[in-house]
């Protein structure tokens, strides 16, 4: 909307500040007894040119097209793609942390296997002092949860990206928040998730409302052999 903002500002300046300035100095010539005679070309700089009008009209037309319920829904879905990317990155970081926690124990195990007697004694003492005598259940859970979270974020991101290209999906979502008169609630509070019973369905939830959508784009995306990954239960 930057182009529209700039074009609107230009037009408002022409019909506002410029008109006020023009009216002020031309009014001076209308005072009784005034003999000021301006040149006929003096008004040119105050004209609204065809180019200025066309620039505004094009930006305005684009703004109108991009302000329909369907267009704004598409924008929100694109924003959700970025959110899923952020979730993926967070889960990846958590996975790295969990792997480091587990690696701390396996490093000690390697000392027990390959080290000399003094190394083994030191390793056992270190493990005891630092509560590293076993891989913790919390580390295992964190590791597995992060793996599942990364995959879920990846699948959700790609489903959103694919479904956003389906006009039927866009229409269904837009129709849902328009029919319930919950426009702002939808755009401010919507969360997206994969349906637990139907992995091809995306659910959008906002406050007391929800809509589920399926799309032929799911098959288009999963046609790639590299996409044939199944979510692992947490």
């Amino acid at each position: 909307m930057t182009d529209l903002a700039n074009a609107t500002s230009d037009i408002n300046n022409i019909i506002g500040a410029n008109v006020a300035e023009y009216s002020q100095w031309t009014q001076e010539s209308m005072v009784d007894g005034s003999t000021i005679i301006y040149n006929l070309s003096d008004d040119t700089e105050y004209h609204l040119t065809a180019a200025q009008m066309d620039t505004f009209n094009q930006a305005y037309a684009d703004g109108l097209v991009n302000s329909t319920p369907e267009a704004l829904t598409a924008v929100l879905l694109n924003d959700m793609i970025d959110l899923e990317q952020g979730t993926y990155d967070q889960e990846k970081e958590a996975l790295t942390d969990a792997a480091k926690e587990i690696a701390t124990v396996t490093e000690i195990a390697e000392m027990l296997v390959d080290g000399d007697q003094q190394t083994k004694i030191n390793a056992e003492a270190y493990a005891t002092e630092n509560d590293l005598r076993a891989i913790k259940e919390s580390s295992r859970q964190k590791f597995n949860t992060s793996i599942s979270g990364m995959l879920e974020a990846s699948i959700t991101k790609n489903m959103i990206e694919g479904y956003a290209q389906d006009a039927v999906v866009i229409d269904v979502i837009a129709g849902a928040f328009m029919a319930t008169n919950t426009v702002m609630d939808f755009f401010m509070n919507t969360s997206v998730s994969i349906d637990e019973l139907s992995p091809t369905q995306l659910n959008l939830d906002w406050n007391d409302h929800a809509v589920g959508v399926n799309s032929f784009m799911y098959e288009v995306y999963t046609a790639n052999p590299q996409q044939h990954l199944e979510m692992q239960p947490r």
Side-chain angles (χ1 to χ4, degrees), residues 25-46:
W25 69 260
T26 54
Q27 185 174 347
E28 294 174 2
S29 68
M30 303 304 294
V31 176
D32 289 344
S34 173
T35 59
I36 299 175
I37 300 177
Y38 296 115
N39 295 318
L40 286 175
S41 61
D42 286 345
D43 61 348
T44 304
E45 64 179 291
Y46 295 95

Side-chain angles (χ1 to χ4, degrees), residues 14 19 22 26 34 50 58 66 92 98 103 111 133 178 210 231 233:
I14 292 169
V19 165
Y22 179 73
T26 54
S34 173
Q58 182 59 61
N66 293 325
K92 183 178 180 180
M111 295 179 186
R133 296 189 68 88
M178 291 298 289
M231 292 177 58

Side-chain angles (χ1 to χ4, degrees), residues 102-121:
I102 296 172
T104 302
V105 178
T106 59
E107 287 174 4
I108 296 174
E110 291 173 349
M111 295 179 186
L112 299 180
V113 172
D114 300 325
D116 56 25
Q117 289 79 2
Q118 185 62 60
T119 298
K120 294 177 187 288
I121 292 172

Side-chain angles (χ1 to χ4, degrees), residues 16-91:
N18 281 15
V19 165
E21 179 182 299
Y22 179 73
S23 296
Q24 181 178 358
W25 69 260
T26 54
Q27 185 174 347
E28 294 174 2
S29 68
M30 303 304 294
V31 176
D32 289 344
S34 173
T35 59
I36 299 175
I37 300 177
Y38 296 115
N39 295 318
L40 286 175
S41 61
D42 286 345
D43 61 348
T44 304
E45 64 179 291
Y46 295 95
H47 285 177
L48 174 60
T49 67
Q52 290 167 327
M53 179 188 68
D54 290 344
T55 297
F56 172 82
N57 284 343
Q58 182 59 61
Y60 185 47
D62 292 341
L64 290 172
V65 169
N66 293 325
S67 295
T68 64
E70 294 76 15
L72 293 173
T73 296
V75 171
L76 178 64
L77 291 178
N78 284 328
D79 291 342
M80 288 179 172
I81 292 173
D82 294 337
L83 291 176
E84 291 303 322
Q85 180 65 56
T87 298
Y88 175 88
D89 292 339
Q90 292 173 2
E91 294 290 357

